[in-house]
Amino acid sequence: MGKDVIIACDFGSGSETLAFLGKFGAERPFVKIGMELFYAEGPGIVRRIKERGHKIFLDLKLHDIPTTVKKAMSVLSRLDIDMVNLHAAGTRAMMEAALEGLARPGGERPLLIAVTQLTSTDEERMRSELLISLPLKETVIHYAKNAKAAGLDGVVCSPLEAGRVHEACGSDFYTVTPGIRFAGSATDDQARITTPEKAGELGADYIVVGRPITAAPDPAEAYRRCVDAFVGAR
Ligand code: C5P
């Protein structure tokens, strides 16, 4: 795998999601299913989307004691997902346990990606609430290195950080990057945004794109434009 556009299906119901995916004709984009949809519909929605032939990134951001995460990952792996994530803050022991849980009988497993620091966490909150006084950027790279050392496949980060993550963890360590907008379009609630072309140039491996595709008048056209811009950029 590598270098692909993942559509964030941030819908509240399965019916809305399936109606949206129906707009893509024979095309089967890689999709991200987050907590809202998963908790509303349960694992059945993952099976239904998978049956249609889509690759799935299950964005549930696990964070618990290692044994619990291992067992939960084992259940998620059986849903035949392609990518899943957890919080690097859960420590290396938790990340290693997650990998053990994901392993399938045939030896393969879904990609495991770490969340470093959520973009909603700023340096002031890190200092005053979490008692972490190092610069945010330093903690992001440190967490990425921990994830790499634990054997994970990559991290979620800004495309603007993709280069530094690759420098620290190697070019084969995936960067999965949200915050993507077409040039000249609405930023919504995203503060630091990058176009698909720029994300490609910066070395992002996967871009996660929600509203620029889900809210477009013609989602399939917007998706195609995004793929052409991103994949054509390197
Ligand atoms: O609609 P939009 O393109 O902003 O959606 C981006 C997706 O990426 C959403 O599912 C959002 O939750 C996710 N995300 C993000 N920023 C992060 C981590 C995840 O936008 N730092």
Side-chain angles (χ1 to χ4, degrees):
M1 291 212 282
K3 199 118 206 242
D4 207 350
V5 173
I6 303 177
I7 304 179
C9 287
D10 293 324
F11 299 108
S13 73
S15 54
E16 225 183 318
T17 309
L18 296 173
F20 169 75
L21 294 176
K23 295 177 182 173
F24 288 83
E27 197 144 38
R28 293 289 180 269
F30 200 145
V31 300
K32 176 168 90 73
I33 296 177
M35 290 186 207
E36 184 189 8
L37 184 58
F38 189 80
Y39 293 147
E41 298 286 347
I45 188 63
V46 176
R47 292 193 192 95
R48 288 189 70 183
I49 296 175
K50 196 69 202 178
E51 273 162 21
R52 291 177 168 220
H54 295 269
K55 284 186 182 163
I56 296 179
F57 170 19
L58 197 53
D59 178 15
L60 297 182
K61 300 187 180 72
L62 276 69
H63 187 170
D64 208 319
I65 59 171
T67 182
T68 301
V69 169
K70 178 176 172 175
K71 289 177 187 166
M73 287 295 189
S74 167
V75 174
L76 296 180
S77 189
R78 290 202 289 275
L79 289 174
D80 198 23
I81 50 169
D82 300 278
M83 185 185 286
V84 65
N85 61 1
L86 46 61
H87 278 282
T91 76
R92 271 159 71 169
M94 187 200 79
M95 293 191 268
E96 285 163 3
L99 279 176
E100 285 171 23
L102 285 177
R104 293 178 179 137
E108 37 83 67
R109 60 165 176 80
L111 293 175
L112 183 58
I113 303 296
V115 172
T116 55
Q117 290 289 356
L118 292 171
T119 43
S120 51
T121 309
D122 59 20
E123 267 180 23
E124 168 49 28
R125 290 191 179 97
M126 280 170 58
R127 215 176 3 253
S128 62
E129 296 182 32
L130 307 179
L131 302 183
I132 298 171
S133 51
L134 289 170
L136 196 148
K137 281 184 177 172
E138 229 172 280
T139 65
V140 166
I141 295 298
H142 184 67
Y143 283 24
K145 286 182 178 167
N146 280 346
K148 167 86 179 174
L152 269 67
D153 303 293
V155 288
V156 179
C157 65
S158 159
L160 304 166
E161 284 154 10
R164 291 190 331 117
V165 168
H166 283 143
E167 264 169 42
C169 301
S171 59
D172 56 350
F173 190 68
Y174 293 135
T175 52
V176 179
T177 69
I180 304 294
R181 289 296 178 270
F182 290 119
S185 68
T187 58
D188 304 305
D189 49 1
Q190 294 284 9
R192 295 194 309 155
I193 51 161
T194 311
T195 63
E197 292 91 332
K198 188 75 188 155
E201 285 163 21
L202 290 168
D205 297 292
Y206 293 91
I207 53 173
V208 176
V209 188
R211 287 158 292 183
I213 295 174
T214 56
D218 181 348
E221 181 279 327
Y223 169 70
R224 183 62 19 231
R225 194 150 40 99
C226 205
V227 170
D228 289 347
F230 177 58
V231 179
R234 248 205 282 202

